Amino acid sequence: MTASNTSGTQMSSSHSGGHGHGADEPPVFEGARRQELDALFTRYPTKMAVLLPALWIVQQERGWVSARSMAEVAALLGLTPAYVKGVVTFYTMYHQHPVGRYFVQVCTTSPCGVCGAEDVVKAFLRQTGTGELGATSADGRFTVIEVECLGACGFATPVMINEEFIESVSAETVAEIIAKLP
């Protein structure tokens, strides 16, 4: 979630709750989404160069990138499903399984660790009811993970909730942050 939309204005995801596992999902690239993909082909030098934005479209539509969606993207771009899966598994911004409505990423690298990142993670796990990293809360609202770096070492501990970037989060401010989410 480190690319694409950094405006911080949208907190909710457009997916349908992240349920299902992709086995019987319809194609993503039909209608408006196909037109969006076709427009990308005019902006990039090769079909392969469209891979990252195409995956982003899938995730915006579904909330995650299933194996079936990876195969669909591969076919449209003339790539192998294995190549597409390699890209999806490399970038942490792509979800490989359904996640909560609010995807919370907490930076836990050394500078943030010194500034209390571990306590911030614990506070998010407690306040969201997820209990453990990578799990989704029972109400489907939250998934919390640790990330290596959000690129804001001077504002430790940074957190991203969906596309919103929040600086200088402490364990004490987590409850207030959660309370502001619809």
Side-chain angles (χ1 to χ4, degrees):
M1 311 268 304
T2 57
S4 265
N5 179 357
T6 57
S7 67
T9 58
Q10 183 179 1
M11 288 296 297
S12 65
S13 174
S14 63
H15 66 89
S16 60
H19 299 293
H21 295 285
D24 56 354
E25 64 191 29
V28 171
F29 294 101
E30 294 182 330
R33 289 302 192 176
R34 180 56 194 238
Q35 291 173 354
E36 191 176 348
L37 181 68
D38 290 342
L40 288 172
F41 291 142
T42 67
R43 295 175 39 205
Y44 289 86
T46 65
K47 281 187 171 185
M48 180 184 274
V50 176
L51 178 56
L52 296 180
L55 290 170
W56 194 251
I57 290 169
V58 169
Q59 186 158 289
Q60 287 176 322
E61 185 68 25
R62 297 280 157 82
W64 65 296
V65 183
S66 67
R68 183 176 175 122
S69 294
M70 287 182 227
E72 179 183 359
V73 169
L76 289 168
L77 302 183
L79 303 169
T80 66
Y83 183 85
V84 174
K85 183 173 183 168
V87 170
V88 170
T89 59
F90 177 79
Y91 290 105
T92 59
M93 63 191 228
Y94 299 116
H95 310 308
Q96 298 174 59
H97 54 80
V99 296
R101 178 176 176 200
Y102 299 107
F103 186 69
V104 180
Q105 300 175 79
V106 181
C107 180
T108 57
T109 52
S110 297
C112 294
V114 169
C115 295
E118 185 176 320
D119 292 333
V120 171
V121 169
K122 288 177 185 175
F124 270 107
L125 293 175
R126 188 173 49 256
Q127 290 291 325
T128 62
T130 56
E132 64 182 63
L133 291 169
T136 299
S137 59
D139 62 5
R141 290 186 72 209
F142 300 99
T143 302
V144 179
I145 66 165
E146 293 180 344
V147 293
E148 271 308 302
C149 185
L150 290 175
C153 301
F155 303 99
T157 295
V159 171
M160 282 190 72
I161 301 178
N162 295 346
E163 288 87 26
E164 182 176 348
F165 189 83
I166 307 166
E167 299 174 341
S168 305
V169 176
S170 67
E172 295 75 29
T173 61
V174 169
E176 179 183 338
I177 292 166
I178 297 297
K180 290 180 181 178
L181 300 174

